[in-house]
């Protein structure tokens, strides 16, 4: 299901820096999920997973510096599907059979970061 979102693209005329990668991933994860995304999660993972995602959304909204009601009104975002596993773990290069490559990003649960 998540592959339907497509990759994170970074287009720059100058050198791409680590900060560009982090900013692009952050922007990517801030996009709201669609109703069809939510329906696909419900169909494949069930109601328990949807409740965890909703809890992650409310926790994100509560910990935000923005107004809680405003954040909740924006709905579930891609980052909420991480269910709180939003501590950066690492980034690595993966190669496709055609010789092209992409970067994979890993995250840890917050409780494991300390």
């Amino acid at each position: 299901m998540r592959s339907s979102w497509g990759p994170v693209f970074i287009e720059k005329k100058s050198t791409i820096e680590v900060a560009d990668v982090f900013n692009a991933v952050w922007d990517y994860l801030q996009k709201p999920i669609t109703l069809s995304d939510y329906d696909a999660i419900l169909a494949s993972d069930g109601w328990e997973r949807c409740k965890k995602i909703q809890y992650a959304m409310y926790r994100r909204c509560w910990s935000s510096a923005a107004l809680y009601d405003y954040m909740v009104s924006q709905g579930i975002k891609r980052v909420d599907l991480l269910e709180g596993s939003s501590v950066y773990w690492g980034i690595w290069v993966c190669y496709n059979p055609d010789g092209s490559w992409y970067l994979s990003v890993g995250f840890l649960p917050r409780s494991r970061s300390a």
Side-chain angles (χ1 to χ4, degrees):
M1 194 280 307
R2 287 184 218 146
S3 62
S4 67
W5 296 346
V8 177
F9 283 104
I10 302 171
E11 294 183 38
K12 261 181 90 172
K13 294 186 190 244
S14 59
T15 303
I16 294 174
E17 299 173 351
V18 173
D20 298 320
V21 175
F22 286 136
N23 289 331
V25 169
W26 189 88
D27 288 341
Y28 185 83
L29 292 175
Q30 294 307 305
K31 291 183 173 44
I33 66 168
T34 64
L35 185 56
S36 62
D37 288 337
Y38 192 81
D39 289 342
I41 294 165
L42 183 60
S44 66
D45 299 338
W47 180 241
E48 286 302 313
R49 173 82 197 284
C50 289
K51 287 195 305 189
K52 290 178 183 177
I53 292 168
Q54 289 173 350
Y55 176 76
M57 180 201 71
Y58 288 118
R59 194 170 75 188
R60 173 182 52 82
C61 295
W62 184 255
S63 65
S64 172
L67 294 172
Y68 177 79
D69 290 338
Y70 171 74
M71 295 298 291
V72 170
S73 73
Q74 293 183 333
I76 297 172
K77 296 183 178 185
R78 291 174 175 175
V79 69
D80 298 321
L81 275 65
L82 295 174
E83 298 177 33
S85 296
S86 55
V87 175
Y88 175 73
W89 175 77
I91 193 166
W92 59 96
V93 177
C94 299
Y95 295 94
N96 291 314
D98 66 1
S100 63
W101 59 273
Y102 60 95
L103 296 174
S104 289
V105 179
F107 298 95
L108 290 173
R110 287 184 186 157
S111 61
R112 295 189 67 197
S113 65

